[in-house]
Amino acid sequence: MSVTHADYRLSQLDQLEAESIHIFREVAAEFEKPVLMFSGGKDSIVMMRLAEKAFFPAKIPFPVLQVDTGYDFPEVLQTRDNWVNRLGVRLIVASVEEAIANGVVVDDGKTSRNRLQIGTLLNALEEGGFTAAFGGGRRDEEKARAKERVYSHRDEFGQWDPKNQRPELWSLYNGRLHEGEHMRIFPISNWTELDIWDYIGREDIEIPSIYFSHQRRVFERDGMLLSESDFNPLRSGETVEERTVRFRTVGDLTLTGCVESEASTIPEIIAEVAVATVTERGATRGDDRFSEAAMEDRKKEGYF
């Protein structure tokens, strides 16, 4: 049978892309001073690609902000710099080390650098006068993030109240703010880990090499494989061995585990993710294991 008319239906990936681009444009039009939180990980890189498309051929009309724990993977920082240089965006680095030195946050020797990011981030947002901050959170990652709206309101202290969120019927977003408040924006909230990898493959996006299978010296702690590092001293009974691994998510290297994997190409990673039964944060992020509500508690205080 001959086709009598064109099929204008979008694929699932095209629909997700269109929704995210719409959110970027809405925020740029509505908020006085947005900023994009950019770590150099796969989700924030997809966000950079979406922002690039949203405003092309113009440059991205807002800066990018990274909260540097001092414990970031070198491969991630290199990829971050490659993206910033290629797109010509302004990079703001909020250093946890500097925040400790300036008394913005207190390092008691027990609190992880990951948690110290909260005060560092809130201080950077306040100093920059930012009214909206794009984040790469996805609802499939973790149950606290599953509760969160696309426009996620923060009070004058940068805190989130999960019981006081604004409705978003028909994808209509309420961006009204009082003095001192700001909004966290999650353009890829409806994406899954599999969608992210499909998009990376389709767009041929540059990502850190540690997402692919490689040899690494690791040790086991709390059921996770952590990287050997000067920042990660071994505890009694722990031994280092070389394994073939890759990272599903990246962050503070003292708390971010890797998984044993032979997946060295994007199609192989997609096949691996398609049959995974645990989310990337649930499998490899030590900061989410402190308690059943660890992520929600940090988000209430002002975490990403």
Side-chain angles (χ1 to χ4, degrees), residues 65-84:
L65 168 67
Q66 188 217 358
V67 181
D68 181 9
T69 63
Y71 295 166
D72 294 300
F73 291 94
E75 299 91 341
V76 175
L77 296 180
Q78 181 59 56
T79 306
R80 176 205 68 184
D81 292 342
N82 292 346
W83 273 87
V84 167

Side-chain angles (χ1 to χ4, degrees), residues 210-221:
I210 59 175
Y211 279 111
F212 299 97
S213 178
H214 60 283
Q215 295 293 118
R216 180 173 290 263
R217 288 175 59 80
V218 298
F219 60 93
E220 189 167 343
R221 178 180 295 168

Side-chain angles (χ1 to χ4, degrees), residues 115 118 144 291 293-303:
R115 197 172 190 96
I118 298 172
S291 74
M295 169 65 86
E296 183 163 327
D297 291 342
R298 294 203 310 281
K299 288 185 78 67
K300 286 178 181 178
E301 294 174 18
Y303 190 71

Side-chain angles (χ1 to χ4, degrees), residues 79-139:
T79 306
R80 176 205 68 184
D81 292 342
N82 292 346
W83 273 87
V84 167
N85 293 334
R86 182 178 72 79
L87 295 179
V89 295
R90 180 164 69 96
L91 172 66
I92 302 167
V93 177
S95 166
V96 172
E97 198 73 52
E98 288 182 12
I100 293 170
N102 295 333
V104 174
V105 295
V106 177
D107 184 5
D108 58 7
K110 299 177 183 178
T111 306
S112 72
R113 286 291 179 96
N114 186 278
R115 197 172 190 96
L116 293 178
Q117 288 183 98
I118 298 172
T120 308
L121 170 64
L122 294 178
N123 183 65
L125 293 176
E126 184 178 358
E127 284 190 343
F130 297 114
T131 52
F134 293 102
R138 307 188 325 266
R139 287 182 175 134

Side-chain angles (χ1 to χ4, degrees), residues 73 75 209-219 224-228 241-248 256-264 269 272 284:
F73 291 94
E75 299 91 341
S209 60
I210 59 175
Y211 279 111
F212 299 97
S213 178
H214 60 283
Q215 295 293 118
R216 180 173 290 263
R217 288 175 59 80
V218 298
F219 60 93
M224 296 189 301
L225 294 177
L226 298 177
S227 298
E228 180 187 36
E241 56 184 322
E242 189 163 291
R243 297 198 195 180
T244 304
V245 300
R246 76 174 191 86
F247 288 85
R248 290 180 66 187
T256 304
C258 48
V259 294
E260 291 194 86
S261 172
E262 299 287 343
S264 58
I269 291 174
E272 184 178 273
T284 62

